[in-house]
Amino acid sequence: MPPLHQIREVRKFLKRLAESRASLIRATDLSRLASEMFGDQHQNQWIQFVHQILETWRSESDDAEVPGPQALEFLYEACAESRRDFSYGEGVVLSTVHSAKGAEYDHVLLIGPWPLKPDRAQQEEERRAFYVGMTRARKTLAVFDRLDFRPSLPESLAGPAVLGREFTGTTAVSEASGVDYAVLGLDDIHLGYPGQFKEGHPIHTALATLGPGDRLDIRQQDDRAPGLFDQNGTCVARLAQKAAALWAARREAIREVRVLALVHRSPDQDTDQTRRESYRASAWEVPVVEVVLEERDESLVH
């Protein structure tokens, strides 16, 4: 997982906020600013993340006017704290209710058991956790209730929005689809590759036009490490040595490669002085991608 404050959309917003550090500002003003900057891009999860941490800031600050540096500090801290638990890409996210607090998903499967405990204090604690779990869902929520735990919190749910189903019969075993997901993160990508080209080079133009969800191809063009190519045939990144060896025999199993994020990079982030002095661009972006595989290989799951 890259540092969230270095991801293109997040960094762009933080940079804009830093320009207003001398003024007093409310969280609702920041939310309005984010809407003006990014427009109607609801499918971009990084823009969703910006709005999410702004909503958290609105709650914590009670939407009071605060100095710009204070809001900026909170947002940087929120990025750092969210990095460990942040999930992106497709597939199923497994999480505890407490770890999912603050996050939202289109479809949530809430698994129990959720017994209604006799102790009043424990009962209220369980109710709060149950409520947090249910409110993570944006579109659909399925609550699994075990009949051997009674009384239970799920059995208290009622109303026209609740559709109950009781499972009966035998468990059907179906053949696995053989599809898996793997993320190529910063450890897998040659971080300095775009920096070898001057600003204005086609690689920087191609990176600037990429966004989350865009498709790339992994292929070997010459005797160098495999590259990530956009739909116009521009190599926008190359795999690091370790990743190149790992994926050399797996390219035939790749169904597709999707961009997850574009991460800001600059020469001063490189610890090697010789490389720092050799870069020809003052800044560039590195793509983090998700690979969809035809078959499962545990060694490729990050």
Side-chain angles (χ1 to χ4, degrees):
M1 171 64 65
L4 300 189
H5 70 273
Q6 292 182 357
I7 290 174
R8 176 194 286 169
E9 293 83 354
V10 182
R11 182 177 181 275
K12 181 179 179 181
F13 182 79
L14 293 175
K15 185 177 180 180
R16 180 70 174 274
L17 176 56
E19 296 172 356
S20 306
R21 62 170 55 246
S23 60
L24 296 175
I25 196 164
R26 298 178 185 272
T28 49
D29 297 329
L30 295 180
S31 295
R32 191 178 305 111
L33 174 62
S35 297
E36 293 172 356
M37 289 178 60
F38 301 118
D40 187 20
Q41 300 184 49
H42 299 302
Q43 299 303 314
N44 188 317
Q45 61 185 338
W46 305 113
I47 296 176
Q48 293 176 13
F49 173 71
V50 170
H51 283 290
Q52 177 184 318
I53 59 177
L54 289 177
E55 177 60 24
T56 303
W57 175 236
R58 184 196 64 78
S59 178
E60 294 212 6
S61 67
D62 199 26
D63 203 27
E65 285 190 333
V66 299
Q70 184 177 340
L72 191 63
E73 181 182 3
F74 174 86
L75 297 184
Y76 270 106
E77 290 178 353
C79 287
E81 292 174 0
S82 300
R83 182 183 182 188
R84 179 174 58 87
D85 297 322
F86 195 88
S87 60
Y88 55 179
E90 296 192 5
V92 177
V93 177
L94 300 179
S95 172
T96 65
V97 169
H98 295 290
S99 296
K101 189 175 182 180
E104 290 184 339
Y105 305 92
D106 284 346
H107 310 285
V108 170
L109 308 179
L110 191 58
I111 301 173
W114 297 96
L116 193 60
K117 298 181 179 180
D119 181 78
R120 184 71 177 179
Q122 290 182 327
Q123 189 178 117
E124 289 306 309
E125 184 178 347
E126 285 293 310
R127 285 186 186 277
R128 284 193 294 270
F130 188 54
Y131 175 79
V132 169
M134 290 194 298
T135 53
R136 299 310 92 203
R138 294 194 190 98
K139 297 180 180 178
T140 67
L141 168 67
V143 180
F144 293 80
D145 187 23
R146 287 176 53 174
L147 298 180
D148 55 340
F149 282 85
R150 285 294 181 267
S152 72
L153 289 170
E155 70 176 326
S156 65
L157 298 177
V162 179
L163 180 63
R165 288 288 185 268
E166 183 175 344
F167 173 78
T168 58
T170 59
T171 303
V173 179
S174 59
E175 185 178 350
S177 63
V179 176
D180 198 6
Y181 300 86
V183 174
L184 294 183
L186 299 187
D187 290 340
D188 304 302
I189 303 296
H190 184 337
L191 299 179
Y193 176 70
Q196 299 173 1
F197 302 92
K198 291 182 178 180
E199 295 171 5
H201 188 277
I203 186 175
H204 298 295
T205 304
L207 285 167
T209 59
L210 284 180
D214 288 344
R215 273 30 175 193
L216 298 175
D217 295 321
I218 295 182
R219 63 175 184 261
Q220 190 93 33
Q221 189 179 49
D222 44 38
D223 58 352
R224 292 179 291 178
L228 298 176
F229 293 80
D230 69 5
Q231 300 305 304
N232 295 320
T234 302
C235 181
V236 296
R238 290 203 179 273
L239 300 189
Q241 185 175 357
K242 180 180 178 181
L246 179 65
W247 287 92
R250 303 297 300 155
R251 289 199 302 273
E252 295 300 322
I254 296 174
R255 175 179 293 182
E256 62 182 35
V257 180
R258 297 188 283 243
V259 175
L260 293 177
L262 280 302
V263 181
H264 178 267
R265 189 78 180 171
S266 61
D268 58 7
Q269 292 175 273
D270 198 319
T271 57
D272 187 280
Q273 182 176 352
T274 302
R275 287 198 300 265
R276 285 200 304 270
E277 296 173 350
S278 68
Y279 289 127
R280 307 178 72 185
S282 60
W284 59 90
E285 291 184 318
V286 177
V288 173
V289 302
E290 180 178 59
V291 182
V292 183
L293 300 165
E294 290 286 353
E295 57 187 352
R296 184 173 181 82
D297 185 336
E298 293 292 344
S299 65
L300 298 181
V301 181
H302 293 206

